[in-house]
Amino acid sequence: MLNIVLFGPPGAGKGTQAVFIKDAFGLIHLSTGDLLRSQIAAQTELGVKAKAFIDRGELVPDQVVIDMIGNQLAENKSAKGFIFDGFPRTVEQAKALDVLMDKNNTAVSGMLALDVEKQELINRLLERGKTSGRSDDCSESVIENRISVYNEKTAPLIDYYSAQNKYYAINGMGSIDDIAARLKDTVEGL
Ligand code: B4P
């Protein structure tokens, strides 16, 4: 199985690029951000709780997203592989993903990390905020908090995957097509 972790700070292009990789390699795309937003739209109990964290630019508690991913893996047993977008975001989540993969007799193939300058991240998210209706994209202070949370809780995953020889840094600046080509080349080499 081919199991890709697509990694990067908020606004790095994970959701944008995951679609290309999914199509190119026939994978199932699992975005914890999208899964949480669909819970919010359906006004489920989980969605109401998650919204409070997302609105502040904080992470939703680990167990909530770990359970969501576990359910998705169980529902897609015959998949050729997965692209994880926005998951894992903490070392706890990465450890839980390794356990889930192991239970399915598979493993993470590689973690592809999009590198983008901070000002470009802010510009992209504010631009999307003009039309997306996403509360977490509209305020520069919430965006700054998302980036701080990334630096504190999510960036340590670079060391986690480096230690397993699974970390690949990708230049995430430039056109969407150029970045997609860089990612595709890297996935083909895994
Ligand atoms: P996400 O939905 O994952 O939000 P994100 O980090 O902003 O990434 P996204 O995929 O949406 O944006 P992208 O970089 O593609 O998470 C939202 C919230 O949910 C989190 O803050 C957290 O609260 C919660 N959450 C999600 N997963 C969680 C987890 N595992 N644990 C705990 N909490 C979790 O793109 C951004 C914009 O840039 C787009 O508008 C795109 O069009 C544009 N863009 C992309 N590439 C570009 C390029 N090359 N040039 C110009 N613009 C580009």
Side-chain angles (χ1 to χ4, degrees):
M1 270 174 103
L2 181 62
N3 299 305
I4 307 294
V5 171
L6 189 56
F7 186 84
K14 301 180 294 290
T16 309
Q17 296 295 339
V19 176
F20 293 108
I21 302 180
K22 172 194 86 146
D23 290 344
F25 297 95
L27 306 177
I28 302 268
H29 175 200
L30 294 182
S31 157
T32 39
D34 288 349
L35 290 167
L36 289 167
R37 282 184 289 277
S38 67
Q39 295 282 331
I40 292 171
Q43 298 184 322
T44 63
E45 193 183 334
L46 189 159
V48 171
K49 277 190 196 152
K51 186 174 186 310
F53 291 95
I54 292 175
D55 284 353
R56 294 194 300 267
E58 303 290 339
L59 295 180
V60 170
D62 285 336
Q63 203 55 49
V64 172
V65 287
I66 291 167
D67 289 348
M68 280 190 334
I69 291 289
N71 290 338
Q72 292 292 322
L73 295 179
E75 280 175 23
N76 291 285
K77 285 242 183 259
S78 55
K80 268 175 71 180
F82 295 90
I83 175 143
F84 297 97
D85 158 9
F87 181 88
R89 260 177 156 101
T90 63
V91 171
E92 272 318 299
Q93 293 180 22
K95 287 181 180 166
L97 180 59
D98 281 346
V99 171
L100 285 167
M101 295 270 98
D102 200 44
K103 269 191 200 156
N104 290 315
N105 297 313
T106 184
V108 170
S109 313
M111 181 259 227
L112 279 55
L114 292 164
D115 282 336
V116 177
E117 289 162 13
K118 184 178 174 190
Q119 193 54 50
E120 172 71 7
L121 299 173
I122 295 171
N123 294 346
R124 287 182 190 180
L125 294 174
L126 286 174
E127 190 57 36
R128 181 171 66 184
K130 288 179 190 166
T131 54
S132 67
R134 273 179 63 167
S135 57
D136 56 345
D137 284 346
C138 292
S139 139
E140 197 156 341
S141 67
V142 172
I143 292 172
E144 288 276 359
N145 192 38
R146 289 163 68 191
I147 295 171
S148 301
V149 169
Y150 166 82
N151 287 329
E152 187 193 331
K153 297 191 171 153
T154 308
L157 290 180
I158 291 174
D159 288 342
Y160 183 87
Y161 285 104
S162 293
Q164 299 183 16
N165 290 321
K166 290 179 179 173
Y167 163 65
Y168 299 85
I170 309 288
N171 177 3
M173 300 285 288
S175 78
I176 289 173
D177 286 349
D178 284 350
I179 299 162
R182 286 175 206 142
L183 286 164
K184 190 162 173 268
D185 282 352
T186 307
V187 174
E188 277 166 353
L190 289 176

